Amino acid sequence: MPGDPIRPLTLALCQFAPRKGDTAGNLARIGRLCAQAAALEPRPQVVHFPETALSGYFVEGGVREVACTAGSLSYDLDDAYRTACAAAGLDVLPLDVVIGFYERWRDTLHNSAAYLSIGLDDGPPKVRHVHRKNYLPTYGLFDEERFVERGSDIRAFETPWGKAALLVCEDAWHSLSGTIAALDGAQVVFISSAAPARGPWPRTDGVPGPNSAARWERLIRDIAEEHGVFASFVNLVGSEGGKRFFGTSHLVGPGGDIRGRAPVWEESFVSISVDLDDLVRARADSPLLSDLRVALPHVLDNVKRVTEGWPVALSYDGPEPAAADLLRGARGFTTGEFAVPTELLERANTVVRALPEQLPVIRHGLGDQGGPPSLLLDTELTESWLVGFLREELARRGFGKAVIGMSGGVDSAVSAFLAVEALGRENVVGVRLPYRTSSQESLEHAQLVIDALGIESRTVDITAAVDGYLVHEPDADAQRRGNVMARQRMIALFDLSARYRALPIGTGNKTERLLGYFTWHADDSPPVNPLGDLYKTQVWQLAHHLGVPDVVVHKAPTADLVVGQTDEGDLGISYARADQILNGMLHGFSHEALRARGFGNDELTTVSRRLNGTHWKRRPPAVALLSQSGIGESYLRPVDF
């Protein structure tokens, strides 16, 4: 209505990539980002940072080293903010900050988020609220409960502009969390997250980024729309040990509408101004929260009944006499209570008689539903995902160049194409490593890729080195000889890595790794591998997208260690069939379920025998554990910390 008050609130969502474990450096940078935010027009009242913005997320056993108290964080961030303002020649203005960090609290460690007021002109900074993550994911690639304690509270709290609540990452996956926050009076729910990207298949929902980005957006929209609140979601970006955080931070209005969204992968600010009176309008149009408040006593009774296991007897009323009469005389519409006009009775009976005796049946078989995720790639998304991964992982290790063994096959070609896009052609060295029995075609195809990319190249003949050893082992069979060749190639590649100050890039795909179709401590040795979670058929898709020469993409895959050898001949199954079976097995589908989807016993046996017989090749060496500080067991540090 004209004359209604406007209650403006401006939020700055800061999509941030912390440097793993560098709390001092991250704090200084966050101070500079706060100064940048305070200089925006309009000036935001709140700057929202992601989960674990102070340290990075996957720090594992390093949590105790990076954790701090909320009080020390407030003072340190206030100092960093004031220092940044002074350096930029800016006035220090009051600013509220939501930030995720590992917290020390009462001698325990927590994954927490704090709401702080800094830059105050009338006193020290204020800690207005600390939320300790309630739900700690300890499954799949997550292991939080091993390193931090659970929180148990979800509360709304007062701020200078209204009431807010904080959630951290998986808290938002449980709808009850948003319900509690809204019932407690929250107008804005801030969700700080460190959600890694997963799911590279194409989508049609219009949400940018990987499949996990779409799932998150659905969750945040549900929190906002169901409870009539604003929901601010801020996610990390950057790469940690192979896991890339996808960003796409966004603000959702109380009607479930997206008010603004940050890009995929990239650090950025998103400044969004809203009117808090939108809460009134949304709750008037859809008073779900009001309905819940009315029903809350019954809801709580039901929760108590479920949690305490009260027995409940089935209770219902039988049919009333009139209803029973109606059922008995349905075709004549006779209840005994009033007379039905003859013409109406005839018309009704005509309709009843016209109804079909049977309804059409629409069938959906097992193959139409509930299958594993698609193997089809969104190749453009996958390209940007892997290019960013390579760029960030090499930079984190202090490398600006890469060296790649060029076999003439599609895997090494795709790795080289990605490396050139990530680092520039001048920073990639392609190395051909032939043995005297190697296929001339493999050499030519490797050179074809090198020429197409315009990268520096080396050709190192490994014949003398391999034969210098094998002369002492004249009875070595083809498998042993092939393993010696593969390991010698890695010796050469790592030595050239030292010469060029270039990190070796891996080329092994997921299918080979799962089937154990590689030489241990050879093909799997490079410390960074962009293809290790892509099945062979997915590598082919990506190769087409990147423009790898067709002759390389369409050739029969071969390790070229034995004359005339092919991968699919060795494996006894095509990559197309193996990939579908592996994809099903890794997502929990039994042999029976896969047989129902058209796979034969011989195929399933071939794949499962190789998968189950090669787990040792995918793990570090087994070390006898004697102490309470075993490396990789009790003493845990991620590869990048």
Side-chain angles (χ1 to χ4, degrees), residues 377-447:
L377 287 182
D378 179 336
T379 50
E380 185 173 348
L381 170 70
T382 305
E383 176 188 7
S384 65
W385 193 329
L386 297 178
V387 166
F389 160 77
L390 284 173
R391 188 177 292 138
E392 292 167 10
E393 288 298 322
L394 264 71
R396 191 181 299 277
R397 290 164 171 78
F399 286 87
K401 296 187 70 171
V403 59
I404 302 176
M406 304 299 298
S407 68
V410 68
D411 297 325
S412 63
V414 170
S415 287
F417 268 74
L418 293 169
V420 166
E421 187 174 348
L423 306 171
R425 62 170 53 92
E426 68 279 7
N427 292 316
V428 178
V429 180
V431 184
R432 301 190 306 171
L433 296 155
Y435 181 68
R436 57 183 168 82
T437 60
S438 295
S439 162
Q440 181 62 32
E441 182 183 77
S442 294
L443 275 174
E444 292 170 355
H445 290 170
Q447 191 62 46

Side-chain angles (χ1 to χ4, degrees), residues 24 60 63 80 118-119 126-127 155 173 236 262 351-352 387 414 446 451 472 537 539 549 599 609 638:
E60 299 179 358
V63 168
I118 61 176
K126 294 181 180 179
V127 179
R155 297 178 182 174
W173 284 63
L236 282 178
V351 172
V352 170
V387 166
V414 170
D451 292 342
H472 303 291
T537 51
V539 174
F599 296 100
R609 182 181 294 126

Side-chain angles (χ1 to χ4, degrees), residues 88-122:
L90 300 172
D91 292 334
V92 177
L93 300 171
L95 190 68
D96 286 2
V97 176
V98 175
I99 184 168
F101 69 111
Y102 284 114
E103 182 195 15
R104 288 180 180 268
W105 181 63
R106 296 181 179 174
D107 300 320
T108 57
L109 300 173
H110 293 267
N111 183 348
S112 301
Y115 190 106
L116 312 174
S117 293
I118 61 176
L120 303 176
D121 55 11
D122 59 350

